[in-house]
């Protein structure tokens, strides 16, 4: 771990451009799905592609860099004396801070988005896709990530001097999250290896896997697998275990999406509330949440 941190410290490009890290890993999973002939989804429509392209582009090209820039600018303006103040913190302590202030807060943000109609309207696009794929990782409304506390808190920790730890943490987190959304079920074959059973038991209760996260995207709880109102974890599935929202079946739902979905335009999915095609949009979200 310390060796990876030293590499991160000496890699100026990564240190100044976390977006490159995310985009690079994202591209790697795209190529993996293409190689496995699972990137093109048979149920996908033109509107799905537009939601995914614009949602991902806004996050990587605007939201993520903007939040990091604003965090740095605000700290320079109001608390410049804190810059680099915890740079000497042990990497384990730094990792713990990111897990708590980024990953755990993202768990609660995600969980809240499935309870509050306004936030659900910002998250609905992520679940309206009738498939699992790397394509849907950043399939969200453009304001969903802008309001996410974890990104702002990560920017704060970077300002305080934990950038080297952050880039290692970011790489691990993206590998887990992208792998959990991917149509390539890497955990499926591992479950079949008898010698790995103890490891897989521990792993599936620690990080998000294709089985546990696909259950969150299932269409109907009647299939015995879907846990639409649980399995919220991003990097750590442990938060679901700890806070009582975990469901582990080692199976994947037969269908994905939102029950009784009332379609809206792709522009509204990505840019609501700036784009409104129906005046009852918040009420619609409330009705879908009740499913």
């Amino acid at each position: 771990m310390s060796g990876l941190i030293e590499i991160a410290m000496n890699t100026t490009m990564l240190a100044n451009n976390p977006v490159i890290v995310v985009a690079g890993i994202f591209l790697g999973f795209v190529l993996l799905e293409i190689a496995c002939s699972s990137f093109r989804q048979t149920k996908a429509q033109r509107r799905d592609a537009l939601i995914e392209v614009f949602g991902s582009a806004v996050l990587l090209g605007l939201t993520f860099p903007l939040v990091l820039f604003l965090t740095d600018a605000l700290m320079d303006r109001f608390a410049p004396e804190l810059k680099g103040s915890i740079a000497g913190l042990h990497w384990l302590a730094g990792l713990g801070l990111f897990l708590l202030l980024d990953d755990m807060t993202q768990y609660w943000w995600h969980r809240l988005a499935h309870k509050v109609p306004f936030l659900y309207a910002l998250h609905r696009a992520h679940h309206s896709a009738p498939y699992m794929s790397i394509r849907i990782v950043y399939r969200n409304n453009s304001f969903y990530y802008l309001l996410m506390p974890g990104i702002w808190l990560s920017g704060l920790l970077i300002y305080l001097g934990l950038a080297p730890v952050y880039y290692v943490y970011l790489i691990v987190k993206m590998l887990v999250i992208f792998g959990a959304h991917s149509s390539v079920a890497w955990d499926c074959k591992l479950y079949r290896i008898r010698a790995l059973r103890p490891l897989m038991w521990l792993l599936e209760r620690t990080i998000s896997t294709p089985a546990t996260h696909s259950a969150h995207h299932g269409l109907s709880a009647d299939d015995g697998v879907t846990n639409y109102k649980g399995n919220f974890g991003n990097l750590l599935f442990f938060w679901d275990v700890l806070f009582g929202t975990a469901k582990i079946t080692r199976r994947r739902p037969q269908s994905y999406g939102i029950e009784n979905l009332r379609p809206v335009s792709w522009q509204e999915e990505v840019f609501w509330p700036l784009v409104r095609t129906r005046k009852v949009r918040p009420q619609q979200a409330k009705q879908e949440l009740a499913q």
Side-chain angles (χ1 to χ4, degrees):
M1 183 68 179
S2 59
L4 288 176
I5 293 177
E6 289 179 8
I7 292 174
M9 291 180 66
N10 295 324
T11 309
T12 305
M13 179 178 290
L14 296 184
N16 293 327
N17 298 279
V19 173
I20 293 178
V21 177
V22 178
I25 299 174
F26 184 86
L27 178 60
F29 274 90
V30 169
L31 295 176
L32 175 64
E33 288 195 2
I34 291 175
C36 296
S37 301
S38 59
F39 182 70
R40 295 184 63 183
Q41 299 294 327
T42 56
K43 294 183 179 181
Q45 302 176 4
R46 178 176 177 273
R47 70 181 302 277
D48 291 305
L50 290 170
I51 293 170
E52 289 152 7
V53 168
F54 277 91
S56 300
V58 169
L59 171 65
L60 296 177
L62 178 62
T63 305
F64 193 24
L66 178 63
V67 170
L68 295 182
F69 170 79
L70 289 177
T71 304
D72 189 77
L74 288 171
M75 290 301 294
D76 271 342
R77 175 67 177 82
F78 296 106
E81 69 280 2
L82 295 180
K83 189 165 188 175
S85 58
I86 60 173
L89 193 67
H90 193 280
W91 67 266
L92 275 176
L95 176 62
L97 286 175
F98 280 111
L99 289 174
L100 290 174
L101 297 184
D102 174 64
D103 199 57
M104 189 180 73
T105 61
Q106 190 173 354
Y107 163 87
W108 284 106
W109 176 253
H110 188 186
R111 185 171 175 175
L112 196 63
H114 280 262
K115 292 182 178 295
V116 180
F118 173 80
L119 294 181
Y120 180 76
L122 303 182
H123 184 53
R124 179 182 187 268
H126 191 62
H127 286 275
S128 63
Y131 47 82
M132 291 297 290
S133 170
I134 188 64
R135 296 170 47 149
I136 73 169
V137 169
Y138 294 132
R139 179 185 167 124
N140 265 306
N141 182 281
S142 54
F143 295 102
Y144 180 75
Y145 293 108
L146 184 62
L147 299 176
M148 184 181 290
I151 300 180
W152 292 88
L153 291 172
S154 290
L156 173 62
L157 291 176
I158 290 172
Y159 186 86
L160 295 178
L162 296 183
V165 179
Y166 176 68
Y167 297 110
V168 176
Y169 164 77
L170 183 65
I171 291 170
V172 174
K173 182 171 183 176
M174 293 303 99
L175 287 172
V176 170
I177 292 177
F178 292 173
H181 284 87
S182 177
S183 58
V184 179
W186 60 264
D187 57 343
C188 187
K189 291 185 178 180
L190 297 181
Y191 285 136
R192 300 172 187 168
I193 302 175
R194 187 179 185 87
L196 293 181
R197 286 181 181 176
L199 175 62
M200 292 305 295
W201 185 93
L202 179 62
L203 191 68
E204 66 189 354
R205 285 163 175 77
T206 305
I207 65 171
S208 293
T209 65
T212 56
H213 196 70
S214 65
H216 177 67
H217 283 261
L219 179 65
S220 174
D222 293 338
D223 62 12
V225 179
T226 294
N227 190 26
Y228 187 64
K229 296 183 179 180
N231 291 28
F232 298 113
N234 289 274
L235 168 54
L236 294 186
F237 187 73
F238 172 73
W239 305 127
D240 286 283
V241 176
L242 180 63
F243 298 118
T245 53
K247 183 175 183 178
I248 301 173
T249 66
R250 297 192 173 185
R251 293 181 289 139
R252 294 166 74 97
Q254 295 180 346
S255 301
Y256 301 99
I258 302 174
E259 285 188 292
N260 302 317
L261 177 67
R262 298 167 179 81
V264 297
S265 69
W266 71 265
Q267 293 95 330
E268 181 173 350
E269 289 260 63
V270 178
F271 298 111
W272 186 87
L274 298 182
V275 176
R276 298 169 183 255
T277 56
R278 298 185 183 188
K279 294 182 180 180
V280 295
R281 184 67 178 86
Q283 181 63 27
Q284 175 181 324
K286 186 175 181 179
Q287 292 171 351
E288 290 176 1
L289 277 173
Q291 301 300 325

